[in-house]
Amino acid sequence: MTKKKFWIVIPTILLPYLALFTLATVFLSTKIDFFRYIMEYVFGSNALYLIGTFILCCILTTILNIICFAFSIYNKWDALSLVKTMMIIKLIQIPAYVLIFVLGIILAIMIFTFPFSIGLFLFDCLSLFLTGALVVSAAINSIKQGLFKLKDILWIMILQFFFCVDVISTIIFYVKLKNIADNSSIQNVTFSNAWIQCNYFVSKLQSLAKNT
């Protein structure tokens, strides 16, 4: 994935942190001036406007992600660069997911905040789908590029939609693709050196033939 294409997945990267910011604004607006300012002057002291804005951001990010998925397959984006980008995204999102998990447990214990816990779980599922879908597109492209067969990486595609193991499977997939790319570059260099030596040998023979 080139730098020009990278901006497409920026909303996907920021979405878990936007969820934390939304929660912080809802629960800390009466205690911290910064969040109170955001709630009063941006959302008119109405938490429904804040939550509605967050839901709208989730919808727009999902649409953008679907477009990215379609383009990546149609235009046959390089599998290695795409899965490398998604691996970095998943690693960047780990701190946010840890905090969301802890907050989800805390909110689930309290009766009045239990709906927020359910909302966080649904959001986690959505975020997992968004990142997993692009790794699946990278897997599809790797099959099209002849790097793998479907039976070899089907398990990686399935694990993208399970918490925790999605990160591990993405790292494994990246290492596999990187090894293939490194081996291919070594073979190309070896072939290039052999071709140069062959040309040198032929030129030597031609020069000897002319001298004789």
Side-chain angles (χ1 to χ4, degrees), residues 11 15-16 81 95 97 99 109 119 127 139 145 147 150 154 167-168 171:
L15 201 58
S81 60
Y97 282 127
L99 288 174
I109 297 174
S127 187
Q145 294 166 11
L147 302 176
L150 177 60
L154 180 60
V167 179
I168 298 173
I171 294 173

Side-chain angles (χ1 to χ4, degrees), residues 4-104:
K4 292 181 179 180
K5 298 173 183 175
F6 184 77
W7 68 269
I8 302 177
V9 296
I10 289 178
T12 303
I13 300 173
L14 299 178
L15 201 58
Y17 292 96
L18 181 60
L20 290 173
F21 177 79
T22 302
L23 283 175
T25 305
V26 170
F27 291 104
L28 300 177
S29 59
T30 59
K31 299 179 180 180
I32 300 178
D33 291 337
F34 173 75
F35 294 112
R36 181 167 57 248
Y37 178 86
I38 295 295
M39 182 64 79
E40 289 180 3
Y41 294 98
V42 178
F43 299 101
S45 299
N46 193 329
L48 291 178
Y49 290 161
L50 173 61
I51 296 173
T53 302
F54 172 70
I55 293 174
L56 179 62
C57 289
C58 289
I59 294 172
L60 293 176
T61 302
T62 302
I63 294 172
L64 190 61
N65 217 74
I66 292 172
I67 294 173
C68 184
F69 176 85
F71 268 88
S72 65
I73 295 178
Y74 180 77
N75 293 326
K76 297 179 181 179
W77 290 359
D78 180 62
L80 177 60
S81 60
L82 181 55
V83 77
K84 180 182 179 180
T85 302
M86 298 316 301
M87 179 185 69
I88 294 172
I89 289 175
K90 286 177 178 289
L91 293 175
I92 291 174
Q93 290 179 338
I94 287 177
Y97 282 127
V98 171
L99 288 174
I100 289 174
F101 177 75
V102 173
L103 288 174

Side-chain angles (χ1 to χ4, degrees), residues 102-199:
V102 173
L103 288 174
I105 294 176
I106 295 173
L107 294 173
I109 297 174
M110 304 177 185
I111 298 175
F112 296 106
T113 58
F114 184 74
F116 283 97
S117 179
I118 297 176
L120 285 177
F121 173 74
L122 294 176
F123 168 77
D124 281 345
C125 292
L126 172 64
S127 187
L128 182 69
F129 169 78
L130 294 179
T131 55
L134 291 180
V135 178
V136 169
S137 70
I140 293 172
N141 287 341
S142 70
I143 295 172
K144 288 184 176 181
Q145 294 166 11
L147 302 176
F148 292 103
K149 294 182 179 179
L150 177 60
K151 64 179 182 179
D152 297 327
I153 56 173
L154 180 60
W155 64 276
I156 293 177
M157 299 167 73
I158 294 173
L159 291 181
Q160 290 307 306
F161 304 103
F162 292 89
F163 293 108
C164 297
V165 291
D166 67 307
V167 179
I168 298 173
S169 61
T170 301
I171 294 173
I172 293 173
F173 187 31
Y174 170 73
V175 172
K176 285 178 175 289
L177 283 173
K178 189 69 168 59
N179 289 336
I180 291 175
D182 291 342
N183 291 334
S184 177
S185 61
I186 291 173
Q187 290 175 358
N188 290 334
V189 170
T190 302
F191 177 79
S192 178
N193 291 335
W195 181 254
I196 292 172
Q197 291 176 0
C198 182
N199 286 335

